[in-house]
Amino acid sequence: MTDVQTEFTPSEEEAVHSPTIDTEAETAGDAQSEPPADLDREGDIAADYIEELLDIADIDGDIDIDTRNGRAYISVNADEGTNLRLLSKPDTVAALQELTRLAVQNQTGGFSRLILDIAGSRDARQAELATLVDRAIARLEEGSAEASLPAMSSYERKLVHDIVSERGYVSNSRGEGRDRHTVITAA
């Protein structure tokens, strides 16, 4: 059986807008954030979908729902030694995230940018990406003009851009579709 917990924790930088149109912001060209109620609904739909999937597969897990940076974050965790680890491989998490996004889109009629984390898979992937960035930076320090990383999702590229920036280097994305990848250069 799964437990579902909901939490809304906006960061200081997040602006929470009501569904009404802010004409001053609109005329200034500012994009409005999605209203929190929509993100909460998106998170609830996603949690229900994941909970049903876990029940069908007879996999134990606790589901936490969080909203931040204009996205719903769904985390599934369980005690050590449970069978949840079967779903925590990066490709599996990515596939489940897309299925969950489709389930949310089917019910809301709008595109979903939700993020799914299973058994800490996002933290593990971020550590892998940091290692890739460190290796690329080592190539730059050895004299390469630029260092390319493998193709990855937009979310992973965003994480890479953040890591690269923290290290004092510059990065940009190149390529189209599934071939889109990050290239790192010296500042």
Side-chain angles (χ1 to χ4, degrees):
M1 187 56 105
T2 56
D3 298 326
V4 178
Q5 299 172 351
T6 304
E7 181 179 326
F8 177 71
T9 54
S11 69
E12 292 177 10
E13 294 132 14
E14 286 181 5
V16 179
H17 296 282
S18 68
T20 59
I21 296 174
D22 181 355
T23 32
E24 188 174 317
E26 189 174 324
T27 56
D30 294 339
Q32 287 190 351
S33 299
E34 188 172 5
D38 290 348
L39 289 178
D40 286 343
R41 180 169 180 247
E42 189 175 310
D44 289 341
I45 293 167
D48 289 345
Y49 179 80
I50 293 295
E51 183 175 18
E52 188 173 329
L53 177 99
L54 293 175
D55 287 345
I56 290 169
D58 195 28
I59 295 176
D60 293 327
D62 296 324
I63 301 172
D64 294 319
I65 307 168
D66 190 16
T67 55
R68 59 183 184 267
N69 301 326
R71 291 180 186 232
Y73 284 77
I74 311 300
S75 300
V76 183
N77 295 296
D79 294 331
E80 193 69 31
T82 64
N83 52 1
L84 184 63
R85 64 175 167 40
L86 298 171
L87 299 177
S88 65
K89 294 181 180 174
D91 290 341
T92 305
V93 173
L96 289 173
Q97 178 174 285
E98 288 307 311
L99 288 172
T100 305
R101 284 179 174 176
L102 288 172
V104 169
Q105 182 177 339
N106 187 44
Q107 288 195 29
T108 65
F111 178 74
S112 171
R113 296 177 54 224
L114 75 85
I115 300 295
L116 177 65
D117 179 44
I118 298 179
S121 60
R122 295 287 174 190
D123 290 339
R125 182 61 177 154
Q126 187 164 0
E128 290 173 8
L129 293 173
T131 300
L132 284 174
V133 168
D134 290 340
R135 288 181 187 153
I137 289 172
R139 289 194 311 263
L140 293 174
E141 290 172 348
E142 291 171 356
S144 294
E146 62 182 31
S148 294
L149 298 181
M152 55 188 70
S153 71
S154 61
Y155 179 77
E156 290 176 332
R157 286 193 316 275
K158 193 244 183 263
L159 292 176
V160 166
H161 291 306
D162 291 345
I163 295 167
V164 168
S165 178
E166 288 172 6
R167 305 273 197 287
Y169 287 80
V170 176
S171 61
N172 59 55
S173 295
R174 294 186 189 161
E176 298 295 325
R178 294 191 180 270
D179 295 329
R180 196 145 174 89
H181 62 282
T182 306
V183 178
I184 303 170
T185 57

